[in-house]
Amino acid sequence: MTDSYAQLLAEANQAVAESAAKIGDDPQRPRYHLMTAANWINDPNGPVYHDGYWHMFFQHNPYIADFGPMGWGHVRSPDLAHWEHCPIAIMPTPGGYDGAGCWSGSVVIHNGLPTMMYSGVADMTLWSIDDDIPPSDRQRIPQGYYHEFLLEIDQETQCIATSSDGMLTWDKHPANPVIPAIPEGLDLIGFRDPFLWREGDGRWYMLLGSGIKGRGGVALLYRSPDLIAWEYMNPLYIGDPAESGINWECPNFLDLGARRMLVVSPHGRPIYWLGEYAEREFKPDGPATRLDWGDVFYAPNSLRDPSGRWLMWGWVREARPRDQYAAAGWASCLTLPREITLDSGGELRVKPAAEMKQLRGETLFRETVELAAGDTSALGGASGDRLEISLQVVLADCEKFCLQFRRSPDGGQHTELLYDFGAGVLRLLREASTDADGVTVDPCECQLKLAADETLALTIYLDNSVIEVYANDKITMTSRIYPTRADARGLSMVCTSGSARVETAVWQMGSIWSDTS
């Protein structure tokens, strides 16, 4: 590491520390979701377990709470529940192969040595959308940030860095970029976000997200014996552009035993397929399915832990105007870790990692509630803005069941989670969630069909402005709300046209950070 690069890292860490000191007690800032100490975070990168610690890296702009040239931030945990901030892992080297950003990727342990692989971007050009440039030649910055600009990526390469001190500092490899160019003969849109795994032959395999012009999004398959010399194999899978777009980011490839799971982020809602992996190709069982049914989930990344369990995190974007989060001094966070499995019928199951129970504090309410049509239960007066809420509707003949949370005493401000038994639809309704200008309050909804004898099982995590909903281990819904009333903290349940019996528990949730409550 050169003295100039070490100074660059020191300045980046100092910028975060100075910004963090100014944030104060922001009522919108999450407390038990992973995020930076200050400024910008997006994609989760390189989750890995090594030498007694869980490590998470992430895209990070340490200088402002806005999108820009990215380094990798870093946090670690001894138990997956309580975390500490670590020094920034890497930053762009000015004028180098990653001078415009160290973008998303993976971390693996190769012969005992922690090694990260990331996409380096040498140069980026931003221009006004009024410029006369064909849309086919342009790439939008993900999910609408920098609305007034479009992004041209002049050079994307794949690079590695290693750590010999427990992942606290990283050295970029002298062979970088280890993949300096796209495969010959392919006309690609994008070339980024390596996802790595090891197979029985002892070699490393990798997917890169891309798109083949005129064909659709593609996951490109590579292999290597040492993470330095890479051989391009073939497209693992090429999507139908009508279903999955023309370009994919952040591919994940999970071995779930009976099936493989391919996850991609096609500049929109992340999707997945289940299917078979044979002859170095993936053959899906059916059409793509949305991975999360909210409106702020993007760019998930996964790891297989030492027990063989698959865990996944996603980026939780902001749903408020850019000037608001820039002024706040922080933007976005990551989801809670999610366990990904298949059930006995081969269907995908998703639930919060069991370790999240460690964050439970005081039990605010725990009993079985009997609801008649139109009855309202205030859940014993339980309230809060950092809660876990567990609901098991064990007996119901009602048309609709509704939970309101972040509710003001007069009901003027609230958010509503509603299940329609007749339609089999779960809805998150946010129209009354805030008085703030420009905040997204569109509803989120998805199909959730229950079998005749199936209980409606909901787990809702409220973390100030973050909502994560888990329903019957089948679907997740991630969203944001920004209540403006200090008294918007209440809870209530109601059912219509019938009755319901609801086993209910509400816990106060603590902070994940070792230096806060």
Side-chain angles (χ1 to χ4, degrees):
M1 183 184 298
T2 65
D3 290 344
S4 60
Y5 181 66
Q7 179 62 29
L8 187 153
L9 285 172
E11 291 172 355
N13 283 303
Q14 181 62 27
V16 174
E18 291 175 357
S19 295
K22 301 174 184 177
I23 289 175
D25 188 18
D26 186 337
Q28 307 295 0
R29 184 173 167 84
R31 296 296 190 271
Y32 64 90
H33 282 74
L34 285 176
M35 62 187 309
T36 61
N39 294 324
W40 176 271
I41 180 176
N42 61 290
D43 304 4
N45 294 158
V48 67
Y49 181 83
H50 182 60
D51 280 353
Y53 281 97
W54 304 87
H55 295 262
M56 175 61 76
F57 303 84
F58 43 81
Q59 294 286 272
H60 183 28
N61 184 349
Y63 293 104
I64 58 173
D66 207 346
F67 194 88
M70 294 299 165
W72 279 33
H74 179 200
V75 293
R76 69 178 186 178
S77 169
D79 60 5
L80 201 61
H82 302 91
W83 296 78
E84 63 178 320
H85 294 287
C86 299
I88 292 170
I90 56 171
M91 287 290 291
T93 299
Y97 50 83
D98 61 6
C102 304
W103 301 82
S104 293
S106 296
V107 174
V108 296
I109 310 303
H110 175 63
N111 295 337
L113 185 67
T115 304
M116 72 167 60
M117 191 160 190
Y118 66 95
S119 294
V121 176
D123 188 27
M124 296 191 305
T125 303
L126 293 173
W127 63 83
S128 168
I129 60 173
D130 295 327
D131 291 347
D132 185 19
I133 300 170
S136 60
D137 294 337
R138 310 187 297 211
Q139 289 290 311
R140 287 194 179 274
I141 291 177
Q143 300 299 307
Y145 291 99
Y146 278 116
H147 287 289
E148 68 271 32
F149 290 109
L150 299 170
L151 171 65
E152 178 185 16
I153 296 179
D154 296 321
Q155 185 179 0
E156 292 177 282
T157 61
Q158 312 313 316
C159 314
I160 62 174
T162 59
S163 176
S164 57
D165 63 356
M167 304 195 204
L168 296 180
T169 62
W170 294 81
D171 294 304
K172 297 178 183 180
H173 200 281
N176 281 340
V178 294
I179 302 180
I182 67 173
E184 292 185 7
L186 291 180
D187 191 8
L188 298 181
I189 305 170
F191 186 62
R192 64 188 71 131
D193 307 336
F195 180 83
L196 278 70
W197 71 96
R198 206 167 203 165
E199 293 197 1
D201 61 6
R203 287 180 284 196
W204 291 102
Y205 286 75
M206 175 181 67
L207 291 185
L208 290 172
S210 187
I212 300 176
K213 289 184 179 180
R215 297 190 64 184
V218 64
L220 302 173
L221 181 64
Y222 283 76
R223 69 181 177 188
S224 170
D226 58 7
L227 303 176
I228 299 172
W230 287 94
E231 173 190 6
Y232 170 64
M233 303 292 290
N234 51 264
L236 179 84
Y237 180 62
I238 303 172
D240 179 349
E243 177 187 54
S244 57
I246 63 171
N247 171 241
W248 295 345
E249 298 187 296
C250 303
N252 281 217
F253 198 45
L254 283 61
D255 182 355
L256 299 179
R259 314 307 288 155
R260 293 289 179 111
M261 179 184 183
L262 175 63
V263 181
V264 300
S265 295
H267 296 271
R269 310 300 182 216
I271 55 177
Y272 73 90
W273 296 267
L274 298 175
E276 179 183 0
Y277 176 50
E279 304 298 327
R280 307 303 175 200
E281 293 184 354
F282 175 71
K283 298 178 181 179
D285 294 337
T289 302
R290 274 184 59 173
L291 187 57
D292 184 280
W293 292 89
D295 61 337
V296 295
F297 178 91
Y298 194 70
N301 210 327
S302 311
L303 86 131
R304 194 170 199 168
D305 76 2
S307 72
R309 175 180 58 165
W310 279 102
L311 296 174
M312 177 181 288
W313 290 257
W315 171 28
V316 181
R317 300 181 292 107
E318 294 292 329
R320 54 181 172 170
R322 179 179 169 193
D323 61 338
Q324 293 182 22
Y325 60 73
W330 61 273
S332 305
C333 64
L334 305 184
T335 64
L336 301 178
R338 301 174 175 185
E339 296 185 20
I340 307 294
T341 59
L342 294 180
D343 66 14
S344 58
E347 297 297 319
L348 190 72
R349 292 292 178 259
V350 184
K351 63 181 180 180
E355 287 87 344
M356 297 306 95
K357 295 177 182 178
Q358 298 178 53
L359 299 175
R360 291 174 179 171
E362 180 185 358
T363 302
L364 302 180
F365 183 79
R366 191 181 191 110
E367 64 180 66
T368 299
V369 177
E370 302 282 353
L371 288 174
D375 286 352
T376 298
S377 169
L379 280 68
S383 65
D385 47 22
R386 290 159 49 192
L387 304 175
E388 179 189 345
I389 306 166
S390 174
L391 306 174
Q392 306 280 328
V393 185
V394 296
L395 183 64
D397 59 2
C398 58
E399 290 183 0
K400 296 176 182 177
F401 170 80
C402 173
L403 170 74
Q404 287 191 355
F405 49 87
R406 297 304 303 270
R407 175 186 169 90
S408 61
D410 62 4
Q413 196 162 104
H414 67 271
T415 300
E416 187 168 296
L417 185 66
L418 182 147
Y419 183 70
D420 186 323
F421 283 89
V425 173
L426 185 69
R427 295 187 178 95
L428 181 68
L429 304 174
R430 299 178 290 171
E431 291 87 344
S433 65
T434 185
D435 295 324
D437 293 335
V439 170
T440 300
V441 294
D442 297 337
C444 302
E445 70 173 51
C446 67
Q447 289 287 323
L448 178 63
K449 297 292 187 181
L450 301 179
D453 59 348
E454 188 174 4
T455 292
L456 174 64
L458 300 172
T459 300
I460 303 101
Y461 290 95
L462 306 181
D463 191 4
N464 292 338
S465 61
V466 175
I467 302 169
E468 287 194 62
V469 178
Y470 296 77
N472 287 66
D473 293 346
K474 295 178 180 179
I475 66 103
T476 60
M477 185 181 288
T478 307
S479 194
R480 303 295 293 267
I481 55 172
Y482 302 91
T484 51
R485 291 181 54 168
D487 62 353
R489 296 169 54 86
L491 300 171
S492 68
M493 294 189 304
V494 65
C495 70
T496 61
S497 301
S499 61
R501 180 182 301 159
V502 189
E503 295 178 356
T504 309
V506 181
W507 295 273
Q508 181 70 37
M509 293 291 278
S511 171
I512 62 173
W513 304 109
S514 57
D515 58 349
T516 58
S517 60

